């Protein structure tokens, strides 16, 4: 009877097999180890919205549906595991090389085709209806929410734990905290200037009290001019209300830009101390608006404006 | 049947004074009547509270008043012109055309200014009048306006511009743009200023004058085209003139305040219900009532959701519709 070469192989080369097994055991990503990892118990998590979800023990295909979250992933994750970005993700430059999945309207088919094992996003960017649809398709969606700068550090730590990247996350948060301590050790102007940050001119939308901006401007040595808490994080304000707030500093564009647009539209607001003293500044938009690992850089930028 | 309009007009004027007095008190700054009196008699722009009263609250109230008057008159004219109780100022696609024009600038015009001019009101006016023109071209035959055709063309073009507006809203890339378009398409008076008040003031003033002269013609139109012609009315010319007045009024209001719904439909009905169909004081009363109604709605909007207030178009519908339904039931009884 003829025997197949494969069947004969084990009996003829036991030494070779032993050698292969030894080599396999020495390589960290060898099949044997991978099998063990796959067998590891999945993680049962609760995200910042309190939603329960199950994520593989070591997610190897991940993506974010918010530009800030893509920055968070690039800061913590193994970048080879990031399978896509959205049309608005433009930082870091390396992200631009990833395939694009439209986040609004959500391109479900393209997202599913990329087979992410978990999708990360932030509250307010991805609708819970979209998240629910993704969950039904077997893709867990993990939400993070940040009210303070410390929340972002906690978010980075969380991501590190979920992705098995505790050490890089720890190094990053340690260095960010140290940088922030150094900024705060510098003398701050007293009393703190009240700062109004506008996001849109007509109607006038501003960074409300319950946004990350409040904490960032506090750390930068100023204070958010909007003290009242509104239902919307970025409330629309009337000119009368802004006159009453009487901010010392206005953020939303350079003096020249706002003088020819905003103050032309609302000439009454030229009475504001910010206009009278020309303390009107533009900031790097994707720094001010994105709650990501560059948050300390954003605080630094605001700090420089406070000292002007 | 007509009833004397004078008592009703006097009542409306009194109500207007009362509403303006209350309206001047409502806002972020604490103000009292002594301060209001001082501001009106000896205005001092260095006092922020006086500045707020004079430069923000008063123009806002006056804009609401003029917008209400303009829309109510426009609705009255439209209902008479096409002899249909369902007609309103936006019959000619003005609202959706205006909203489309403004949305285009919000989405595609960074800085929102063209040659130093703030573009959205201008674009809204162009959108409103452009749509009206198309509707009128479709709705007329050999130089004569055909009411049925005009109604159908208005509905069809209105749907088309609404769909285009919906497409733009859907494409809005940022949350702010989306909110701006939504905010704008529901109407409001936050942009009021002395610089823009002359436009609606002139529109309303001129329209009241023209309509005072056309009063009899307007009533004859209600008899139907054949009888009106038999009684010597130049129907075609009258309709064109009324159309011009109505679209001028609506276009101006839409450009400055956005498309505020409902007021132009319901106020003319209330007017005719109170004063009869053909009264000489009908239009003046209709204008005053419309103005008062919008001032009241704006007040409610600001009280319900301070400081920016709900979009006034929401309030006109939320509070106006139940009242209108009540009136319909009363009329039916």
């Amino acid at each position: 009877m003829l025997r197949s070469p494969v069947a004969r192989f084990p009996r003829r080369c036991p030494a070779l097999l032993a050698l292969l097994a030894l080599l396999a055991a020495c390589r960290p990503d060898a099949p044997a180890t991978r099998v063990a990892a796959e067998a590891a118990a999945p993680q049962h998590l609760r995200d910042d919205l309190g939603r329960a979800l199950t994520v593989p023990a070591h997610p190897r295909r991940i993506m974010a549906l918010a530009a800030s979250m893509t920055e968070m992933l690039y800061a913590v994750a193994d970048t080879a595991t990031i399978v896509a970005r959205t049309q608005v993700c433009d930082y870091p430059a390396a992200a631009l090389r990833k395939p694009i999945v439209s986040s609004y309207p959500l391109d479900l088919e393209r997202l599913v085709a990329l087979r992410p094992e978990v999708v990360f996003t932030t509250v307010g960017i991805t609708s819970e209806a979209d998240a629910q649809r993704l969950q039904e398709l077997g893709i867990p969606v993990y939400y993070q929410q940040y009210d303070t700068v410390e929340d972002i550090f906690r978010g980075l730590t969380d991501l590190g734990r979920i992705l098995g990247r505790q050490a890089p996350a720890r190094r990053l948060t340690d260095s960010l905290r140290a940088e922030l301590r150094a900024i705060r050790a510098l003398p701050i102007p007293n009393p703190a200037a009240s700062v109004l940050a506008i996001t849109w001119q007509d109607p006038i939308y501003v960074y409300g009290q319950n946004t990350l901006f409040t904490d960032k401007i506090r750390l930068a040595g100023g204070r958010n001019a909007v003290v009242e808490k509104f239902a919307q994080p970025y409330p629309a304000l009337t000119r009368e209300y802004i006159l009453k707030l009487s901010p010392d500093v206005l953020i939303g564009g350079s003096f020249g830009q706002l003088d020819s647009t905003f103050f032309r539209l609302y000439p009454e607001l030229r009475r504001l101390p910010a206009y009278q003293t020309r303390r009107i500044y533009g900031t790097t938009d994707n720094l001010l608006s994105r709650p990501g690992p560059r948050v300390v850089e954003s605080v630094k930028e605001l700090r420089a404006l406070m000292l002007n | 049947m007509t009833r004397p309009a004078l008592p009703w007009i006097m009542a409306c004027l009194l109500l207007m004074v009362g509403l303006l007095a209350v309206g001047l008190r409502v806002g972020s700054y604490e103000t009292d009547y002594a301060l209001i009196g001082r501001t009106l008699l000896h205005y001092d722009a260095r006092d922020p509270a006086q500045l707020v009263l004079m430069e923000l609250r008063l123009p806002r109230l006056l804009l609401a008043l003029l917008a209400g008057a303009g829309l109510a008159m426009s609705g009255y004219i439209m209902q008479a012109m096409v002899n249909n109780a369902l007609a309103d100022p936006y019959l000619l696609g003005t609202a959706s055309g205006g909203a489309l024009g403004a949305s285009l600038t919000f989405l595609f015009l960074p800085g929102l200014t063209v040659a130093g001019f703030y573009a959205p009101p201008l674009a809204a006016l162009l959108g409103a009048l452009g749509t009206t023109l198309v509707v009128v071209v479709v709705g007329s035959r050999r130089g004569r306006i055909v009411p049925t055709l005009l109604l159908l063309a208005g509905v069809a073009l209105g749907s088309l511009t609404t769909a285009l507006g919906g497409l733009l809203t859907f494409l809005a890339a940022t949350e702010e743009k989306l909110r701006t378009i939504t905010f704008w398409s529901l109407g409001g008076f936050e942009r009021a200023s002395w610089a823009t008040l002359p436009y609606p003031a002139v529109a309303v003033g001129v329209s009241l004058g023209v309509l005072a002269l056309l009063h009899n013609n307007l009533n004859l139109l209600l008899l139907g085209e054949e009888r009106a012609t038999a009684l010597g009315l130049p129907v075609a010319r009258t309709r064109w003139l009324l159309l011009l007045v109505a679209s001028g009024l609506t276009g101006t209001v839409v450009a400055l305040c956005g498309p505020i719904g409902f007021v132009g439909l319901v106020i003319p009905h209330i007017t005719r219900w109170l004063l009869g169909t053909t009264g000489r004081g009908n239009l003046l009363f209709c204008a005053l009532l419309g103005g008062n109604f919008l001032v009241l709605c704006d007040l409610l909007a600001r009280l319900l959701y301070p400081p920016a207030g709900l979009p006034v178009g929401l309030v006109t519908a939320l509070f106006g519709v139940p009242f209108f339904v009540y009136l319909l039931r009363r009329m039916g009884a």
Side-chain angles (χ1 to χ4, degrees):
Chain A
M1 188 176 77
L2 283 171
R3 298 179 65 146
S4 80
V6 175
R8 283 197 304 268
F9 184 76
R11 276 203 304 182
R12 288 197 179 173
C13 309
L16 185 62
L17 271 181
L19 185 65
L20 278 174
L22 193 66
L23 279 172
C26 291
R27 287 180 48 213
D29 59 345
T33 322
R34 210 155 58 217
V35 169
E38 273 161 11
Q43 311 178 62
H44 299 288
L45 306 169
R46 214 165 257 286
D47 67 9
D48 288 359
L49 282 180
R51 301 158 63 255
L53 57 154
T54 306
V55 173
H58 299 285
R60 289 185 309 268
R61 298 182 65 81
I62 62 172
M63 69 167 291
L65 279 177
S68 59
M69 189 54 86
T70 292
E71 291 193 27
M72 298 280 274
L73 292 185
Y74 267 89
V76 172
D78 171 357
T79 55
T81 62
I82 301 171
V83 294
R85 66 168 175 118
T86 74
Q87 74 284 6
V88 285
C89 302
D90 56 2
Y91 192 94
L96 297 173
R97 289 197 295 273
K98 298 285 181 183
I100 298 175
V101 171
S102 166
S103 60
Y104 179 82
L106 183 61
D107 187 348
L108 263 181
E109 289 197 12
R110 184 145 175 76
L111 194 151
V112 170
L114 287 164
R115 294 178 290 112
E117 292 169 332
V118 54
V119 168
F120 295 93
T121 191
T122 52
V123 174
I125 299 288
T126 304
S127 75
E128 286 187 58
D130 279 346
Q132 182 61 32
R133 187 81 191 91
L134 283 171
Q135 303 262 67
E136 285 163 11
L137 293 167
I139 301 170
V141 180
Y142 190 91
Y143 278 95
Q144 286 195 336
Q145 180 168 18
Y146 326 105
D147 297 322
T148 63
V149 172
E150 187 53 40
D151 285 347
I152 295 180
F153 300 158
R154 179 190 50 75
L156 288 166
T157 309
D158 266 0
L159 290 177
R161 198 183 58 247
I162 296 166
L163 300 173
R165 303 271 296 175
Q166 288 92 336
R170 180 65 187 267
R171 275 198 298 277
L172 177 64
T173 51
D174 282 354
S175 92
L176 287 174
R177 283 196 179 98
E179 231 180 313
L180 199 57
R181 272 197 301 276
I183 296 172
R184 298 207 67 194
L186 298 169
I188 54 163
N190 194 19
S194 76
V195 185
L196 184 71
I198 60 171
T199 66
W200 194 253
Q201 298 191 2
D202 179 22
I204 309 170
Y205 289 129
V206 302
Y207 280 87
Q209 174 65 211
N210 38 340
T211 57
L212 180 64
F213 174 74
T214 301
D215 196 39
K216 286 205 296 193
I217 198 70
R218 179 184 65 82
L219 293 169
R223 62 184 170 85
N224 191 348
V226 184
V227 183
E228 201 177 334
K229 263 194 181 172
F230 297 102
Q232 290 169 320
Y234 301 90
L237 296 184
T238 56
R239 289 171 284 170
E240 179 173 339
Y241 194 87
I242 292 172
L243 277 171
K244 199 172 176 208
L245 292 179
S246 195
D248 304 314
V249 177
L250 194 71
I251 289 177
S254 68
F255 183 84
Q257 277 169 348
L258 291 195
D259 195 33
S260 60
T261 54
F262 186 72
F263 289 102
R264 198 174 176 134
L265 193 56
Y266 312 113
E268 315 76 26
L269 297 184
R270 291 203 164 111
R271 296 173 66 99
L272 295 177
Y275 186 88
Q276 299 289 327
T277 55
R278 295 175 76 102
R279 293 185 73 188
I280 294 174
Y281 310 109
T283 54
T284 314
D285 180 62
N286 67 14
L287 261 190
L288 189 67
S289 60
R290 279 185 202 169
R294 291 185 294 153
V295 66
V296 177
E297 211 179 307
S298 178
V299 172
K300 257 191 214 165
E301 190 182 43
L302 292 172
R303 176 84 181 193
L305 300 182
M306 292 302 97
L307 294 174
N308 271 355
Chain B
M1 186 190 74
T2 57
R3 293 187 197 92
L6 194 62
W8 289 102
I9 290 175
M10 294 307 290
C12 251
L13 283 172
L14 276 179
L15 181 65
M16 185 175 87
V17 173
L19 283 172
L20 290 180
V22 176
L24 280 173
R25 284 285 307 269
V26 176
S28 308
Y29 269 91
E30 285 292 323
T31 43
D32 55 26
Y33 286 118
L35 180 77
I36 293 172
R38 254 201 327 279
T39 308
L40 293 177
L41 295 174
H42 310 285
Y43 173 52
D44 178 5
R46 287 166 304 177
D47 177 358
Q50 290 200 34
L51 177 98
V52 159
L53 277 171
M54 198 53 131
E55 296 293 329
L56 301 178
R57 287 191 199 167
L58 193 54
R60 182 186 183 117
L61 289 167
L62 293 180
L63 182 62
L65 202 64
L66 288 167
L71 290 175
M73 280 163 67
S74 178
Y76 191 95
I77 301 168
M78 289 286 191
Q79 288 174 4
M81 191 180 73
V82 297
N83 218 343
N84 190 318
L86 278 177
D88 78 351
Y90 305 129
L91 177 74
L92 306 175
T94 332
S96 46
L100 180 64
S103 302
L104 279 169
T105 59
F106 292 135
L107 287 186
F108 301 115
L109 192 65
L112 301 176
T113 42
V114 173
F117 279 103
Y118 186 60
L122 214 61
L125 187 66
L126 288 177
L129 296 184
T131 314
T132 304
L133 193 68
V134 177
V135 170
V136 171
V137 167
V138 178
S140 58
R141 284 281 177 279
R142 287 187 294 278
R144 295 179 72 86
I145 293 166
V146 185
T148 328
L149 271 185
L150 194 75
L151 274 169
L152 290 172
V155 171
L157 256 290
S159 298
L160 180 68
T161 41
T162 304
L164 289 173
L167 178 71
L168 291 181
T169 312
F170 181 73
L171 294 177
T174 65
E175 198 192 339
E176 283 92 356
K177 284 183 181 178
L178 195 65
R179 282 172 74 186
T180 304
I181 292 175
T182 315
F183 211 86
W184 201 91
S185 62
L186 291 167
F189 306 113
E190 179 49 25
R191 289 178 298 269
S193 71
W194 288 111
T196 49
L197 269 181
Y199 302 108
V202 168
V204 168
V206 169
S207 303
L208 270 174
V210 171
L211 293 168
L213 296 174
L214 285 180
H215 174 256
N216 284 335
N217 299 8
L218 198 65
N219 287 338
L220 284 176
L221 268 186
L222 293 174
L223 299 171
E225 188 164 347
E226 277 179 29
R227 289 176 67 189
T229 312
L231 288 168
L233 179 73
V235 171
R237 209 173 62 211
T238 308
R239 281 201 175 126
W240 278 114
L241 198 56
L242 290 175
L243 189 85
L244 197 69
V245 171
S247 47
L249 278 172
T250 317
T252 314
V253 174
V254 166
L256 294 178
C257 318
I260 301 162
F262 196 66
V263 54
L265 175 74
V266 69
I267 298 295
H269 282 291
I270 296 178
T271 303
R272 281 191 294 267
W273 184 58
L274 288 174
L275 300 184
T277 316
T278 54
R280 185 155 268 285
N282 275 19
L283 264 161
L284 182 59
F285 176 75
C286 184
L288 285 170
L289 190 63
N292 282 345
F293 179 66
L294 273 198
V295 172
L296 180 67
C297 286
D298 184 48
L299 256 172
L300 284 173
R302 285 190 288 152
L303 287 171
L304 285 173
Y305 195 72
L310 291 170
V312 75
L314 290 183
V315 183
T316 56
L318 287 177
F319 291 91
V321 172
F323 179 63
F324 192 49
V325 169
Y326 162 76
L327 272 188
L328 287 178
R329 304 226 10 123
R330 284 285 303 271
M331 283 198 264

